[in-house]
């Protein structure tokens, strides 16, 4: 069985897909290279692909050249990656981007009948893939900032998840100490003691001896009840050493802190810097 292969069409299609893949890796890894260099690397990769197709070589050798030589040259020429460790990352991200884009295009195949639609779909998939990757990277970065927290109270020791938020600069105007904010529902469980239960359910924090501080957000100003815990222990991700903060100031949020209940507390990073 024989197929007619137009080398110009093969070059253009490979150039387009290689460009989108290299642009995806550049955008995800934030490489400081111009798009002109990315397109140059894509053209080199497309040219090598056409050359390998034209040369009569065993299938195994061609497969090795496609996945070993062509992609390596593309990354070096198009992204300017020099360090071995970073090259391995770029190589991995290139294949992940190819897998992601290829999967989405394959799912769209029944609705793509012409070449022009395929090119338009490929560009749309590029932006979609970049959006998915940015979301995953933000989620991963956010997970790195979540740590285990143990609050030692008079009513016992309570364990929860806390988010280290660099945007939390709330301080106690009386003592000048950083304030950590806890979920109101979790605060009720920690402070609940017999006759105080009804007051806590009604949100009447002043009846159990809590004081108030003012705070300011982009939505305006407000007041927040605060109290002191006996001790707070933080277990940072990937570290065995635990940070201990004696008598931290804890603020109580009006509602839930995290919609998905990933964490129940927002930690002030100033406490970590002081340890």
């Amino acid at each position: 069985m024989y197929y007619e292969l137009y080398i110009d069409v093969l070059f253009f299609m490979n150039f387009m897909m290689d460009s989108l893949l290299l642009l995806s890796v550049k955008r995800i890894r934030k490489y400081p290279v111009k798009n002109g260099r990315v397109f140059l690397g894509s053209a080199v990769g497309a040219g090598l692909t056409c050359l390998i197709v034209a040369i009569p070589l065993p299938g195994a050798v061609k497969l090795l050249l496609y996945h070993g030589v062509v992609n390596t040259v593309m990354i070096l020429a198009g992204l300017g990656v020099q360090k071995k460790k970073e090259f391995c990352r770029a190589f991995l991200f290139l294949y992940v981007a190819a897998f992601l884009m290829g999967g989405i295009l394959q799912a769209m195949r029944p609705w793509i009948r012409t070449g022009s639609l395929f090119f338009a779909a490929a560009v749309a998939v590029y932006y979609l893939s970049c959006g998915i990757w940015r979301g995953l990277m933000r989620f991963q970065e956010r997970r790195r900032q979540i740590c285990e927290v143990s609050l030692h109270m008079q009513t016992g020791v309570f364990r929860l998840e806390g988010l280290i938020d660099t945007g939390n600069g709330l301080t106690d105007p009386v003592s000048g100490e950083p304030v950590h904010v806890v979920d109101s529902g979790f605060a009720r469980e920690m402070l609940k003691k017999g006759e105080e239960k009804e007051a806590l359910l009604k949100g009447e924090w002043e009846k159990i001896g809590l004081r108030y501080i003012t705070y300011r957000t982009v939505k305006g100003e407000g007041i927040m009840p605060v109290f002191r815990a006996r001790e707070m222990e933080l277990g940072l991700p990937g570290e065995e050493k635990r940070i201990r903060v004696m008598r931290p100031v804890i603020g109580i949020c009006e509602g839930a802190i995290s919609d998905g209940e990933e964490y129940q507390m927002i930690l002030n990073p100033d406490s970590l810097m002081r340890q």
Side-chain angles (χ1 to χ4, degrees):
M1 184 179 292
Y2 295 92
Y3 296 94
E4 282 190 0
L5 183 63
Y6 296 93
I7 201 71
D8 56 341
V9 175
L10 177 65
F11 176 85
F12 181 73
M13 291 190 66
N14 276 276
F15 171 74
M16 184 198 68
M17 295 305 299
D18 291 345
S19 297
L20 293 178
L21 290 174
L22 287 179
L23 286 171
S24 299
V25 178
K26 173 198 168 184
R27 197 166 182 177
I28 294 167
R29 298 298 302 166
K30 299 180 180 178
Y31 292 129
V33 294
K34 295 182 178 180
N35 289 342
R37 178 165 184 171
V38 174
F39 294 138
L40 176 62
S42 303
V44 172
L48 287 175
T49 300
C50 293
L51 181 63
I52 294 170
V53 169
I55 298 175
L57 293 171
V61 176
K62 288 191 175 186
L63 190 65
L64 180 63
L65 292 174
Y66 288 142
H67 294 282
V69 177
V70 174
N71 291 339
T72 299
V73 173
M74 280 173 49
I75 292 173
L76 294 176
L79 301 176
V81 178
Q82 299 295 331
K83 295 182 179 180
K84 184 177 180 181
K85 190 174 181 180
E86 188 57 40
F87 171 81
C88 293
R89 289 198 185 101
F91 198 89
L92 175 63
F93 272 87
L94 183 71
Y95 270 89
V96 173
F99 178 80
L100 182 61
M101 292 179 66
I104 298 175
L105 284 173
Q106 185 65 26
M108 298 172 63
R109 189 173 181 180
W111 296 277
I112 301 174
R113 300 298 182 184
T114 63
S116 58
L117 284 178
F118 174 80
F119 298 143
V123 174
V125 168
Y126 158 72
Y127 285 105
L128 177 61
S129 301
C130 289
I132 292 173
W133 269 111
R134 283 198 301 270
L136 290 174
M137 296 299 289
R138 281 197 295 265
F139 177 76
Q140 185 181 17
E141 187 65 27
R142 196 181 187 101
R143 289 300 305 173
R144 288 177 181 171
Q145 296 176 335
I146 295 179
C147 60
E148 297 178 357
V149 182
S150 296
L151 279 176
H152 296 252
M153 307 284 296
Q154 292 182 350
T155 52
V157 179
F158 298 86
R159 292 176 174 81
L160 60 158
E161 299 289 319
L163 174 68
I164 303 173
D165 186 3
T166 55
N168 177 19
L170 182 62
T171 57
D172 182 0
V174 177
S175 64
E177 298 177 51
V179 178
H180 312 277
V181 184
V182 71
D183 187 286
S184 60
F186 207 90
R188 288 185 175 91
E189 293 297 321
M190 290 191 297
L191 300 171
K192 185 168 57 179
K193 293 187 299 181
E195 67 278 1
E196 298 168 348
K197 183 176 180 179
E198 184 176 350
L200 288 168
L201 291 174
K202 293 180 180 179
E204 299 172 344
W205 305 103
E206 68 279 359
K207 290 187 178 181
I208 59 171
L210 275 68
R211 60 186 177 87
Y212 287 84
I213 63 171
T214 59
Y215 68 91
R216 180 179 298 174
T217 66
V218 292
K219 296 180 180 180
E221 295 185 353
I223 57 173
M224 175 183 293
V226 297
F227 65 93
R228 282 191 181 274
R230 287 183 174 180
E231 183 182 342
M232 180 172 68
E233 290 187 19
L234 305 177
L236 300 180
E239 297 185 18
E240 295 183 3
K241 182 182 177 181
R242 296 181 68 86
I243 297 176
R244 299 179 64 182
V245 181
M246 303 305 297
R247 294 189 55 75
V249 180
I250 309 297
I252 302 173
C253 180
E254 291 182 2
I257 285 182
S258 171
D259 293 335
E261 298 183 354
E262 296 178 67
Y263 49 90
Q264 300 81 39
M265 190 175 189
I266 295 179
L267 299 166
N268 191 318
D270 289 346
S271 285
L272 308 182
M273 298 177 183
R274 297 183 183 187
Q275 302 305 309

